[in-house]
mmCIF file of all heavy atoms in Angstrom:
data_model
loop_
_atom_site.group_PDB
_atom_site.id
_atom_site.type_symbol
_atom_site.label_atom_id
_atom_site.label_comp_id
_atom_site.label_asym_id
_atom_site.label_seq_id
_atom_site.Cartn_x
_atom_site.Cartn_y
_atom_site.Cartn_z
ATOM 1 N N THR A 168 -20.709 14.460 -37.932
ATOM 2 C CA THR A 168 -20.450 14.144 -39.367
ATOM 3 C C THR A 168 -21.806 13.821 -39.972
ATOM 4 O O THR A 168 -22.667 13.265 -39.287
ATOM 5 C CB THR A 168 -19.476 13.008 -39.579
ATOM 6 O OG1 THR A 168 -19.979 11.842 -38.845
ATOM 7 C CG2 THR A 168 -18.022 13.310 -39.114
ATOM 8 N N ALA A 169 -21.969 14.097 -41.293
ATOM 9 C CA ALA A 169 -23.239 13.875 -41.940
ATOM 10 C C ALA A 169 -23.459 12.428 -42.286
ATOM 11 O O ALA A 169 -23.890 12.048 -43.401
ATOM 12 C CB ALA A 169 -23.304 14.772 -43.195
ATOM 13 N N THR A 170 -23.116 11.549 -41.326
ATOM 14 C CA THR A 170 -23.210 10.136 -41.507
ATOM 15 C C THR A 170 -24.417 9.630 -40.697
ATOM 16 O O THR A 170 -24.892 10.260 -39.802
ATOM 17 C CB THR A 170 -21.972 9.394 -41.037
ATOM 18 O OG1 THR A 170 -21.661 9.844 -39.694
ATOM 19 C CG2 THR A 170 -20.760 9.734 -41.916
ATOM 20 N N VAL A 171 -24.745 8.354 -41.007
ATOM 21 C CA VAL A 171 -25.846 7.711 -40.275
ATOM 22 C C VAL A 171 -25.236 6.662 -39.336
ATOM 23 O O VAL A 171 -24.649 5.692 -39.720
ATOM 24 C CB VAL A 171 -26.837 6.981 -41.214
ATOM 25 C CG1 VAL A 171 -27.964 6.246 -40.428
ATOM 26 C CG2 VAL A 171 -27.426 7.969 -42.232
ATOM 27 N N SER A 172 -25.360 6.942 -38.017
ATOM 28 C CA SER A 172 -24.755 6.026 -37.021
ATOM 29 C C SER A 172 -25.732 4.913 -36.656
ATOM 30 O O SER A 172 -26.964 5.044 -36.967
ATOM 31 C CB SER A 172 -24.436 6.809 -35.710
ATOM 32 O OG SER A 172 -23.526 7.818 -35.961
ATOM 33 N N PHE A 173 -25.258 3.881 -36.006
ATOM 34 C CA PHE A 173 -26.132 2.835 -35.511
ATOM 35 C C PHE A 173 -27.116 3.499 -34.594
ATOM 36 O O PHE A 173 -26.755 4.261 -33.697
ATOM 37 C CB PHE A 173 -25.344 1.732 -34.793
ATOM 38 C CG PHE A 173 -24.553 0.869 -35.777
ATOM 39 C CD1 PHE A 173 -23.231 0.999 -35.989
ATOM 40 C CD2 PHE A 173 -25.285 -0.084 -36.519
ATOM 41 C CE1 PHE A 173 -22.555 0.225 -36.846
ATOM 42 C CE2 PHE A 173 -24.610 -0.881 -37.448
ATOM 43 C CZ PHE A 173 -23.230 -0.755 -37.602
ATOM 44 N N GLY A 174 -28.408 3.183 -34.798
ATOM 45 C CA GLY A 174 -29.483 3.747 -33.936
ATOM 46 C C GLY A 174 -30.023 5.028 -34.469
ATOM 47 O O GLY A 174 -31.011 5.544 -33.952
ATOM 48 N N GLN A 175 -29.448 5.564 -35.559
ATOM 49 C CA GLN A 175 -30.015 6.775 -36.148
ATOM 50 C C GLN A 175 -30.890 6.394 -37.276
ATOM 51 O O GLN A 175 -30.694 5.424 -37.971
ATOM 52 C CB GLN A 175 -28.811 7.574 -36.656
ATOM 53 C CG GLN A 175 -29.147 9.046 -36.980
ATOM 54 C CD GLN A 175 -27.888 9.868 -37.280
ATOM 55 O OE1 GLN A 175 -26.765 9.393 -37.263
ATOM 56 N NE2 GLN A 175 -28.076 11.123 -37.495
ATOM 57 N N ALA A 176 -31.938 7.251 -37.565
ATOM 58 C CA ALA A 176 -32.887 6.935 -38.613
ATOM 59 C C ALA A 176 -32.216 6.959 -40.005
ATOM 60 O O ALA A 176 -31.288 7.766 -40.225
ATOM 61 C CB ALA A 176 -33.994 7.971 -38.594
ATOM 62 N N MET A 177 -32.640 6.069 -40.862
ATOM 63 C CA MET A 177 -32.174 6.030 -42.223
ATOM 64 C C MET A 177 -32.735 7.252 -42.979
ATOM 65 O O MET A 177 -33.867 7.677 -42.730
ATOM 66 C CB MET A 177 -32.620 4.748 -42.926
ATOM 67 C CG MET A 177 -31.999 3.485 -42.362
ATOM 68 S SD MET A 177 -30.251 3.354 -42.564
ATOM 69 C CE MET A 177 -30.094 2.892 -44.300
ATOM 70 N N PRO A 178 -31.955 7.804 -43.946
ATOM 71 C CA PRO A 178 -32.548 8.931 -44.750
ATOM 72 C C PRO A 178 -33.637 8.409 -45.669
ATOM 73 O O PRO A 178 -33.448 7.525 -46.488
ATOM 74 C CB PRO A 178 -31.282 9.376 -45.552
ATOM 75 C CG PRO A 178 -30.325 8.239 -45.572
ATOM 76 C CD PRO A 178 -30.630 7.345 -44.304
ATOM 77 N N GLU A 179 -34.810 8.990 -45.491
ATOM 78 C CA GLU A 179 -35.989 8.525 -46.246
ATOM 79 C C GLU A 179 -35.859 8.638 -47.759
ATOM 80 O O GLU A 179 -36.195 7.726 -48.500
ATOM 81 C CB GLU A 179 -37.225 9.369 -45.829
ATOM 82 C CG GLU A 179 -37.903 8.811 -44.592
ATOM 83 C CD GLU A 179 -39.050 9.672 -44.113
ATOM 84 O OE1 GLU A 179 -39.788 10.174 -44.989
ATOM 85 O OE2 GLU A 179 -39.182 9.797 -42.915
ATOM 86 N N ASP A 180 -35.319 9.760 -48.172
ATOM 87 C CA ASP A 180 -35.188 9.984 -49.687
ATOM 88 C C ASP A 180 -34.287 8.898 -50.319
ATOM 89 O O ASP A 180 -34.640 8.344 -51.301
ATOM 90 C CB ASP A 180 -34.504 11.323 -49.958
ATOM 91 C CG ASP A 180 -35.505 12.395 -50.117
ATOM 92 O OD1 ASP A 180 -36.654 12.171 -49.663
ATOM 93 O OD2 ASP A 180 -35.145 13.488 -50.668
ATOM 94 N N ALA A 181 -33.149 8.665 -49.621
ATOM 95 C CA ALA A 181 -32.186 7.696 -50.165
ATOM 96 C C ALA A 181 -32.755 6.341 -50.158
ATOM 97 O O ALA A 181 -32.622 5.559 -51.082
ATOM 98 C CB ALA A 181 -30.874 7.762 -49.379
ATOM 99 N N MET A 182 -33.550 5.960 -49.074
ATOM 100 C CA MET A 182 -34.133 4.650 -49.023
ATOM 101 C C MET A 182 -35.146 4.460 -50.106
ATOM 102 O O MET A 182 -35.280 3.419 -50.757
ATOM 103 C CB MET A 182 -34.768 4.426 -47.621
ATOM 104 C CG MET A 182 -33.814 4.243 -46.500
ATOM 105 S SD MET A 182 -32.790 2.758 -46.698
ATOM 106 C CE MET A 182 -33.979 1.471 -46.376
ATOM 107 N N GLN A 183 -35.936 5.523 -50.346
ATOM 108 C CA GLN A 183 -36.974 5.487 -51.414
ATOM 109 C C GLN A 183 -36.305 5.325 -52.795
ATOM 110 O O GLN A 183 -36.742 4.439 -53.571
ATOM 111 C CB GLN A 183 -37.775 6.842 -51.338
ATOM 112 C CG GLN A 183 -38.894 6.906 -52.327
ATOM 113 C CD GLN A 183 -39.955 5.786 -52.147
ATOM 114 O OE1 GLN A 183 -40.173 5.361 -51.002
ATOM 115 N NE2 GLN A 183 -40.509 5.272 -53.205
ATOM 116 N N ARG A 184 -35.297 6.120 -53.046
ATOM 117 C CA ARG A 184 -34.652 5.967 -54.361
ATOM 118 C C ARG A 184 -33.997 4.673 -54.592
ATOM 119 O O ARG A 184 -33.952 4.064 -55.630
ATOM 120 C CB ARG A 184 -33.680 7.121 -54.595
ATOM 121 C CG ARG A 184 -34.406 8.458 -54.882
ATOM 122 C CD ARG A 184 -33.463 9.503 -55.331
ATOM 123 N NE ARG A 184 -32.885 9.216 -56.640
ATOM 124 C CZ ARG A 184 -31.806 9.852 -57.101
ATOM 125 N NH1 ARG A 184 -31.142 10.723 -56.351
ATOM 126 N NH2 ARG A 184 -31.306 9.584 -58.267
ATOM 127 N N ALA A 185 -33.318 4.138 -53.481
ATOM 128 C CA ALA A 185 -32.666 2.856 -53.569
ATOM 129 C C ALA A 185 -33.680 1.752 -53.823
ATOM 130 O O ALA A 185 -33.396 0.782 -54.592
ATOM 131 C CB ALA A 185 -31.847 2.519 -52.285
ATOM 132 N N THR A 186 -34.865 1.886 -53.228
ATOM 133 C CA THR A 186 -35.913 0.883 -53.424
ATOM 134 C C THR A 186 -36.355 0.881 -54.928
ATOM 135 O O THR A 186 -36.432 -0.140 -55.523
ATOM 136 C CB THR A 186 -37.126 1.218 -52.515
ATOM 137 O OG1 THR A 186 -36.689 1.168 -51.209
ATOM 138 C CG2 THR A 186 -38.271 0.244 -52.757
#
Side-chain angles (χ1 to χ4, degrees):
T168 54
T170 51
V171 179
S172 300
F173 286 103
Q175 194 171 3
M177 296 293 285
E179 274 176 38
D180 269 18
M182 288 299 286
Q183 182 59 33
R184 284 192 67 198
T186 300

